[in-house]
Amino acid sequence: MLFLFLALVPLAVSAFLLDEIGQAAQSVADGESERLVAPLEKAATAYHDAIANKKEVLELWSQVLAHDRDLEASCRVGSATAVIRDKLGALLKERDELIGASLRRRDGELLGTARKEAKENQPMRERRVAKILVRAPECELELVYVVPAGALADL
């Protein structure tokens, strides 16, 4: 009986100590997660602000292009497709996230188009923005931007 008692005491003490260690670890983990709440909320706010700012930049740049006199002239005159394609290709070189541009009459006639491959090695998502040319309302400029499919997918 004494041997049984001597064998069970260390087991009972071990179980008690393991329970205490588990409770201490849990309280540390709870404190750690509470400490991270404020920085995570700030990060989420910054993320949403970045998305809103990126949307605004893309929209403003699209509005600037809607005032482009070369595109307006090309639309009115009906320039050769190569001339329009060169102009659109030059636009693609100005912004990394711009991968496509096309100019068409509102009746559907395609005047020119240009496209490039996205440089990213990650899944991407396209965002299309169409603008009517301000001084040539018979034409529409369509721009295709790419954004990462993960973090900025809200664009």
Side-chain angles (χ1 to χ4, degrees):
M1 183 75 166
L2 181 63
F3 290 119
L4 183 61
F5 179 74
L6 288 175
L8 290 178
V9 168
L11 287 175
V13 170
S14 296
F16 175 76
L17 289 176
L18 284 175
D19 185 51
E20 289 296 312
I21 291 171
Q23 288 177 6
Q26 183 63 41
S27 68
V28 168
D30 289 344
E32 192 67 20
S33 64
E34 288 174 15
R35 187 179 67 81
L36 294 175
V37 169
L40 288 174
E41 287 175 352
K42 285 181 183 177
T45 300
Y47 167 77
H48 291 292
D49 289 348
I51 290 170
N53 290 338
K54 186 67 169 181
K55 283 181 180 178
E56 187 176 348
V57 166
L58 296 179
E59 179 63 27
L60 289 173
W61 202 69
S62 300
Q63 288 177 13
V64 166
L65 291 177
H67 288 83
D68 186 281
R69 293 190 186 278
D70 292 339
L71 291 174
E72 292 166 2
S74 296
C75 185
R76 283 201 187 106
V77 174
S79 298
T81 304
V83 172
I84 295 173
R85 189 177 53 241
D86 290 345
K87 173 62 180 173
L88 296 175
L91 294 178
L92 298 183
K93 291 178 183 174
E94 291 180 33
R95 297 200 68 91
D96 287 338
E97 66 272 328
L98 182 62
I99 63 160
S102 61
L103 184 65
R104 68 178 69 242
R105 292 193 195 285
R106 295 190 64 198
D107 65 8
E109 177 190 357
L110 181 65
L111 299 174
T113 188
R115 187 143 179 113
K116 70 179 180 185
E117 292 299 316
K119 295 179 183 178
E120 316 306 336
N121 289 338
Q122 59 182 334
M124 301 299 278
R125 183 174 144 201
E126 291 186 359
R127 182 172 196 276
R128 295 178 180 276
V129 177
K131 291 290 174 192
I132 305 298
L133 297 185
V134 173
R135 290 181 201 83
E138 66 276 10
C139 285
E140 180 178 77
L141 175 66
E142 183 183 58
L143 304 168
V144 181
Y145 298 98
V146 288
V147 293
L152 295 178
D154 294 335
L155 282 173

